[in-house]
């Protein structure tokens, strides 16, 4: 006797005892069906009567299993054994014969280990069943598991699917998701912010009654003159127009007269740009001005709203290139800005290894400085001063400041701009060295005495080779500076215009300087000098002995054009007479030189060779910035020419890796395009600030005119310098 009430446990394994091997699904069978040879089977554990089981199989374009073959009978037995619970197995309906006297065929095991037989059972009893169909699916792509293959070999798609193979989803049952939704699956809609419902036809925005609560909801905005929360995007509501639309936030600018009490306002003119208010500063002013620029200019409703074209996504778009934004840079309170007309400063580098980057700043003008522990001095003198002072001393006539290079963060409290600013030349370019590339220098030494298109190559071997400043010439796009090589007459009789002269670093005695003042004190003598500018009409005194050669001397450079110097010497008894005011002395150190002579004259027992630097040299060409024949006196410019907006130069040292007859350290002259984009974003919330209106001089990337095979590093003086005893 077989039970009428069957229990189906879905956790029972497909294959259990009795040796049943699992049958894996195949691409030829629908999902959930098992394949045995060329037939697909679906075991349905939900118990139904015979008529219901037959209809269920037909609804899936299949039929009840009929056990027509031994293979199918064995397959059915394996399923019965795998579905048995304990010693009980549950028979399945079959199509072995039609109904007889209310009895229907039921296939079941006589015992778990025994044989199976077909029994007659009440057709209204509830039993599992197995549907079967051909494993060959003759419909396109097997209907992509989104439909059933009919006897007509056509796909009958499930709801939400369409197409010949039921591979295309649709949302026609959801009104195609309406105007505010997108169909993303079979009858599945994704609603835009502000909308909800199965067809995205209902807005949740109107339930909010205040501007603040409204704008906090995605897809909702506040129409102020209608006092309603409406669904929309950042520019407008979806279904109607609104001239006072607030989407991301609830505030306006200028005035709140035209806005309701729901809208707050910020008053840039009354608060953040009002210097009489304690917490007002440039930083708050810039931020407020940036926000103010994001609102529309049309005030038809007297309530200005956010302009998404200017500032999309509700984000402030700063106007970094505003005309005067760079002028509103705020410095820290401990920064002291020194203008050249107020005090003359000099920088005395300290070159020992332990104090690399440290300097001593010197001035004889009384300077009031912040009394904080560390303060910063900024000036455009001495090639640019931006030093953090950590010790001060007043000694006699002079003030001394021990300092180290400062960073921009040490100087600038607030700056927020991105503008093209001119980089100002902070020194006379004629004072810079024009050191040739090592390769060119070697060629010049090898060709000593040879002629290159009429230009003889002269190697200067005298130990007394001096330099002085030349002239500016307007011969190319940018002015070209010349320098004079000063030699004793006996060493330069055969050097003519257009010849090439080359001198090593060991021959250089430095730039000539005119002593302008001498300050004698108990512990030191300070010589004030200026780098000499040579010309044929000048008066020239004999070259005196430099203080450097008679005592321990500290050399300092300074002045607005970086063309002035200090020689601070210890007061000692000297065997030779010290220099006096008006004397010419060797001062600033100079390096190797390679140039072409463009003019010459004699004065005071010396030959003055005016030269322009050589950029390249080969057996056929002497390459300079312009042919030497066009450097006429009538093309000379005022020596006080400003190079703002044209070019400036940067002096570096190069260490050559290959051996050379030269000393290993050579100065490399590089040109920088001085009009550069400078972007600063330094922000602070400190309310107390010091404001200056200046353009910043920036450190910019530089491009070499020639290919220098060298390692470039910061310039340092080669001599050992000694600080005054005050330190």
């Amino acid at each position: 006797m077989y039970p009428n009430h069957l229990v189906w446990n879905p956790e029972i394994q497909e294959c259990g005892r009795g040796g049943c091997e699992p049958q894996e699904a195949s691409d030829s069978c629908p999902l959930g069906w098992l394949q045995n040879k060329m037939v697909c089977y679906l075991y349905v554990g939900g118990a139904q009567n015979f008529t219901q089981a037959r209809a269920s199989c037909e609804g899936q374009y299949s039929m009840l299993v009929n056990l027509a073959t031994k293979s199918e009978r064995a397959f059915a037995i394996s399923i019965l054994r795998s579905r048995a619970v304990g010693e009980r197995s549950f028979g399945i309906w079959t199509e072995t014969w039609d109904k007889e006297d209310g009895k229907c065929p039921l296939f079941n095991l006589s015992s778990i280990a025994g044989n199976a037989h077909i029994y007659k059972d009440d057709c209204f009893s509830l039993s599992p069943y197995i549907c079967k169909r051909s494993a060959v699916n003759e419909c396109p792509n097997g209907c992509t598991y989104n439909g059933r293959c009919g006897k007509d070999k056509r796909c009958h798609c499930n709801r939400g699917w369409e197409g010949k193979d039921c591979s295309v989803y649709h949302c026609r049952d959801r009104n195609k998701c309406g105007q505010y939704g997108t169909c993303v699956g079979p009858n599945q809609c994704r609603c835009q912010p502000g909308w909800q419902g199965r067809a995205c036809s209902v807005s949740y925005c109107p339930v909010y009654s205040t501007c603040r609560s409204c704008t906090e909801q995605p897809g909702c905005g506040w129409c102020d003159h209608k006092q309603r929360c409406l669904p929309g995007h950042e520019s407008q509501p979806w279904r109607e127009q609104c001239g006072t639309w607030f989407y991301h936030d609830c505030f306006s600018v200028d005035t709140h007269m035209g806005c309701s009490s729901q809208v707050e306002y910020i008053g840039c003119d009354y608060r953040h740009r009002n210097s009489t208010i304690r917490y007002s500063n440039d930083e708050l002013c810039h931020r407020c001005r940036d926000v103010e620029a994001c609102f529309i200019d049309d005030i038809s409703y007297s309530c200005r709203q956010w302009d998404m074209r200017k500032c999309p996504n509700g984000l402030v778009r700063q106007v970094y290139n505003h005309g005067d934004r760079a002028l509103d840079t705020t410095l820290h309170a401990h920064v002291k800005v020194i203008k050249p007309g107020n005090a003359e400063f000099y920088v005395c580098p300290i070159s020992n290894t332990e104090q690399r980057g440290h300097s001593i700043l010197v001035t004889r003008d009384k300077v009031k400085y912040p009394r904080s522990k560390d303060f910063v001095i900024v000036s455009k003198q001495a090639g640019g001063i931006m030093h953090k002072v950590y010790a001060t001393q007043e000694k006699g006539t002079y003030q001394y400041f021990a300092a180290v290079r400062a960073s921009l963060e040490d100087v600038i409290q607030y700056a927020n701009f991105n503008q093209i600013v001119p980089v100002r030349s902070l020194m006379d370019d004629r004072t810079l060295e024009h050191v040739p590339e090592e390769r060119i220098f070697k060629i010049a030494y090898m060709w000593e005495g040879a002629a290159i298109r009429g230009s003889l190559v002269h190697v200067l071997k005298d130990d007394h080779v001096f330099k002085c400043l030349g002239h500016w010439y307007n011969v190319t796009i940018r002015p070209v500076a010349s320098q004079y090589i000063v030699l004793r007459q006996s060493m330069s009789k055969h050097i003519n215009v257009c010849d090439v002269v080359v001198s090593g670093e060991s021959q250089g005695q430095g730039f000539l300087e005119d002593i302008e003042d001498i300050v004698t004190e108990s512990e030191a003598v300070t010589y004030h000098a200026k780098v000499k500018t040579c010309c044929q009409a000048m008066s020239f005194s004999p070259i005196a002995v430099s203080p450097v050669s008679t005592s321990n001397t500290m050399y300092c450079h300074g002045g607005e054009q970086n063309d002035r110097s200090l020689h601070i010497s210890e007061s000692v008894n000297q065997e030779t007479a010290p220099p006096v005011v008006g004397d010419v002395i060797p001062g600033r150190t100079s390096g190797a030189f390679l140039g072409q002579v463009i003019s010459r004259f004699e004065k005071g027992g010396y030959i003055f060779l005016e030269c322009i630097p050589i950029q390249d040299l080969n057996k056929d060409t002497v390459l300079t910035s312009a042919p030497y024949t066009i450097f006429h006196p009538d093309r000379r410019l005022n020596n006080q020419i400003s190079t703002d907006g044209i070019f400036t130069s940067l002096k570096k040292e190069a260490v050559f890796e290959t051996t050379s007859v030269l000393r290993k350290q050579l100065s490399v002259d590089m040109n920088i395009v001085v009009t550069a984009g400078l972007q600063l974003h330094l922000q602070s919330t400190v309310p107390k600030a010091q404001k200056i209106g200046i353009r910043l001089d920036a450190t910019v990337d530089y491009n070499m005119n020639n290919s220098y095979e060298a390692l470039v590093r910061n310039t340092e003086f080669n001599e050992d310098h000694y600080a005054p005893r005050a330190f």
Side-chain angles (χ1 to χ4, degrees):
M1 182 176 181
Y2 298 95
N4 292 327
H5 301 287
L6 302 180
V7 177
W8 176 59
N9 188 347
E11 296 183 358
I12 295 177
Q13 298 291 329
E14 288 286 344
C15 299
R17 60 183 181 174
C20 172
E21 295 294 332
Q23 303 292 324
E24 295 183 356
S26 167
D27 291 340
S28 300
C29 296
L31 186 65
W33 292 62
L34 300 176
Q35 182 174 350
N36 183 36
K37 296 184 178 180
M38 298 303 296
V39 181
C40 297
Y41 296 92
L42 176 65
Y43 177 84
V44 181
Q48 299 189 48
N49 61 39
F50 183 84
T51 303
Q52 292 172 335
R54 176 185 285 175
S56 174
C57 289
E58 291 177 353
Q60 300 183 69
Y61 305 101
S62 60
M63 59 179 291
L64 279 174
V65 65
N66 56 10
L67 308 176
T69 64
K70 291 182 179 181
S71 174
E72 187 171 88
R73 188 182 184 92
F75 181 74
I77 291 174
S78 67
I79 291 180
L80 290 176
R81 287 174 176 168
S82 67
R83 297 288 178 172
V85 178
E87 295 297 325
R88 299 175 60 187
S89 67
F90 305 97
I92 58 174
W93 295 117
T94 71
E95 285 279 11
T96 307
W97 63 74
D98 290 333
K99 298 179 182 180
E100 293 182 0
D101 301 327
K103 302 294 183 180
C104 295
L106 184 73
F107 184 71
N108 203 354
L109 298 172
S110 58
S111 65
I112 295 301
N115 295 324
H117 302 279
I118 297 176
Y119 301 91
K120 291 183 179 181
D121 198 5
D122 187 352
C123 293
F124 292 98
S125 299
L126 301 179
S127 296
Y129 56 94
I130 296 177
C131 301
K132 77 171 186 177
R133 60 184 291 181
S134 173
V136 178
N137 194 331
E138 298 180 352
C139 288
N141 294 327
C143 300
T144 328
Y145 299 124
N146 297 321
R148 297 180 177 87
C149 186
K151 296 179 180 179
D152 55 359
K153 300 180 182 180
R154 297 175 61 185
C155 289
H156 298 266
C157 300
N158 299 331
R159 292 184 63 180
W161 296 95
E162 62 183 354
K164 291 183 178 181
D165 58 353
C166 302
S167 61
V168 180
Y169 60 80
H170 65 79
C171 295
R172 286 195 295 270
D173 299 332
R174 297 288 184 266
N175 192 29
K176 298 182 180 180
C177 298
Q179 184 180 355
Y180 310 110
T182 303
C183 186
V184 295
N187 289 326
Q188 298 293 322
C189 295
R190 178 185 296 161
C191 300
Q192 294 181 3
W195 298 91
Q196 60 185 359
R198 291 191 298 176
C200 303
S201 58
V202 179
S203 173
Y204 53 77
C205 297
V207 300
Y208 300 99
S209 58
T210 65
C211 181
R212 182 64 60 190
S213 62
C214 175
T215 55
E216 289 176 352
Q217 309 306 316
C220 299
W222 180 259
C223 186
D224 192 58
H225 72 276
K226 294 182 179 180
Q227 292 290 288
R228 291 169 56 196
C229 184
L230 303 173
H233 50 86
E234 60 180 4
S235 297
Q236 279 292 332
W238 286 112
R239 292 181 173 177
E240 50 191 292
Q241 295 295 319
C242 179
T244 53
W245 179 247
F246 293 87
Y247 184 78
H248 291 289
D249 214 326
C250 295
F251 71 91
S252 185
V253 292
D254 290 340
T255 176
H256 66 291
M257 295 299 293
C259 302
S260 71
S261 59
Q262 295 283 340
V263 178
E264 300 175 0
Y265 77 99
I266 57 175
C268 295
D269 291 329
Y270 301 110
R271 293 179 180 272
H272 304 298
R273 290 208 292 253
N274 190 344
S275 59
T276 62
I277 298 179
R278 179 176 57 84
Y279 57 79
S280 176
N281 56 43
D282 289 330
E283 179 179 356
L284 295 178
C285 176
H286 281 162
R287 291 183 177 182
C288 191
R289 184 164 57 189
D290 292 335
V291 173
E292 188 178 52
C294 289
F295 283 78
I296 62 173
D297 300 323
D298 182 14
I299 54 174
S300 301
Y301 289 89
S302 300
C303 181
R304 295 177 63 185
Q305 64 181 10
W306 195 273
D307 192 338
M308 297 303 166
R309 294 170 299 179
K310 296 180 181 178
C311 301
N313 302 319
L315 301 177
V316 177
R317 179 172 293 179
Q318 291 87 346
V319 187
Y320 288 121
N321 58 353
H322 189 275
D324 60 351
R325 192 168 186 130
L327 303 180
D328 293 331
T329 299
T330 302
L331 304 185
H332 288 291
H334 60 261
V335 174
K336 178 67 176 179
V337 179
I338 305 295
K339 295 182 178 180
N342 296 338
E344 189 171 63
F345 262 80
Y346 297 85
V347 175
C348 313
I350 301 174
S351 62
N352 61 65
T353 305
E354 294 181 357
Q355 292 182 304
R356 187 173 297 275
H358 291 245
S359 301
I360 296 175
L361 310 182
V362 182
T363 181
R364 63 174 169 179
D365 299 300
K366 297 301 180 182
V367 176
K368 294 182 179 180
Y369 50 86
R371 296 301 176 181
S372 56
K373 181 179 180 181
D374 295 324
F375 62 94
V376 177
I377 293 180
V378 175
S379 179
K380 65 178 184 178
Q381 302 180 68
I385 297 175
M386 193 169 73
H387 287 68
K388 182 187 293 185
V389 177
Y390 56 84
T392 62
Q393 178 74 49
E394 293 188 20
K395 193 72 173 178
T397 308
Y398 298 91
Q399 286 180 315
Y400 301 92
F401 304 89
V404 65
R405 297 188 189 102
S407 64
L408 279 178
E409 289 78 6
D410 294 327
V411 177
I412 299 175
Q413 179 184 7
Y414 171 78
N416 200 350
F417 64 91
N418 183 3
Q419 293 179 243
I420 300 298
V421 296
V423 179
R424 179 170 299 171
S425 175
L426 299 181
M427 62 182 68
D428 191 333
D429 283 15
R430 297 172 300 162
T431 64
L432 299 178
E433 296 289 346
H434 302 280
V435 179
E437 186 180 348
E438 182 187 26
R439 174 186 61 83
I440 304 173
F441 206 92
K442 287 183 177 181
I443 293 174
Y445 261 85
M446 291 172 55
W447 290 351
E448 179 182 3
I452 304 175
R453 289 202 171 185
S455 299
L456 291 177
V457 179
H458 301 272
V459 177
L460 305 180
K461 300 179 180 179
D462 190 5
D463 291 336
H464 291 75
V465 178
F466 305 97
K467 293 181 183 179
C468 58
L469 305 185
H471 305 278
W472 287 103
Y473 286 89
N474 184 21
V475 293
T476 60
I477 297 177
R478 70 181 183 96
V480 177
S482 67
Q483 289 180 346
Y484 280 93
I485 303 296
V486 183
L487 306 171
R488 291 180 293 186
Q489 284 184 341
S490 59
M491 301 300 299
S492 56
K493 293 181 178 179
H494 304 293
I495 302 177
N496 299 308
V497 173
C498 92
D499 284 352
V500 174
V501 293
V502 55
S503 67
E505 188 175 4
S506 59
Q507 282 78 39
Q509 295 295 309
F511 281 89
L512 296 178
E513 297 181 354
D514 293 317
I515 295 181
E516 297 180 331
D517 191 14
I518 301 175
V519 178
T520 303
E521 297 178 309
S522 60
E523 296 182 355
V525 178
T526 303
Y527 298 85
H528 289 253
K530 182 179 181 181
V531 180
K532 188 173 187 62
T533 299
C534 294
C535 65
Q536 195 164 358
M538 70 178 179
S539 60
F540 186 74
S541 303
I543 299 175
V545 178
S546 171
V548 175
S549 62
T550 59
S551 63
N552 289 334
T553 301
M554 180 168 66
Y555 182 85
C556 312
H557 60 95
E560 185 173 2
Q561 295 295 324
N562 199 33
D563 58 351
R564 297 184 178 274
S565 62
L566 292 182
H567 301 259
I568 305 176
S569 302
E570 292 182 345
S571 295
V572 296
N573 294 326
Q574 299 182 176
E575 297 179 358
T576 59
V580 297
V581 174
D583 279 354
V584 178
I585 62 172
R588 187 170 304 184
T589 58
S590 63
F593 182 80
L594 175 63
Q596 186 174 27
V597 180
I598 61 174
S599 71
R600 58 169 285 164
F601 65 88
E602 299 180 9
K603 189 176 288 288
Y606 288 89
I607 296 293
F608 293 80
L609 304 175
E610 186 180 9
C611 301
I612 55 174
I614 292 176
Q615 298 174 355
D616 203 352
L617 192 68
N618 56 50
K619 63 181 180 179
D620 298 319
T621 306
V622 177
L623 181 62
T624 60
S625 56
Y628 76 93
T629 55
I630 67 174
F631 286 85
H632 296 298
D634 57 356
R635 306 195 74 164
R636 290 175 180 172
L637 299 173
N638 186 339
N639 283 340
Q640 300 300 321
I641 181 174
S642 171
T643 57
D644 291 359
I646 307 173
F647 279 85
T648 188
S649 300
L650 181 66
K651 182 178 179 181
K652 296 283 184 179
E653 283 189 352
V655 179
F656 296 103
E657 297 179 350
T658 57
T659 58
S660 171
V661 295
L662 307 175
R663 294 173 64 179
K664 286 190 176 181
Q665 291 187 350
L666 295 176
S667 295
V668 179
D669 183 28
M670 290 165 279
N671 290 324
I672 315 170
V673 179
V674 301
T675 301
L678 177 61
Q679 181 172 349
L680 287 177
H681 299 286
L682 302 174
Q683 297 185 357
S684 171
T685 57
V686 180
K688 185 177 180 181
Q690 176 185 0
K691 173 182 174 182
I692 61 170
I694 61 171
R695 292 189 181 276
L696 297 180
D697 295 308
T699 300
V700 297
D701 293 334
Y702 51 84
N703 296 316
M704 295 184 180
N705 283 340
N706 298 304
S707 175
Y708 292 93
E709 298 177 353
L711 302 175
V712 179
R713 65 187 184 189
N714 288 334
T715 302
E716 298 290 348
F717 285 81
N718 293 327
E719 297 83 11
D720 289 330
H721 298 294
Y722 299 88
R725 291 181 180 177
F727 286 88

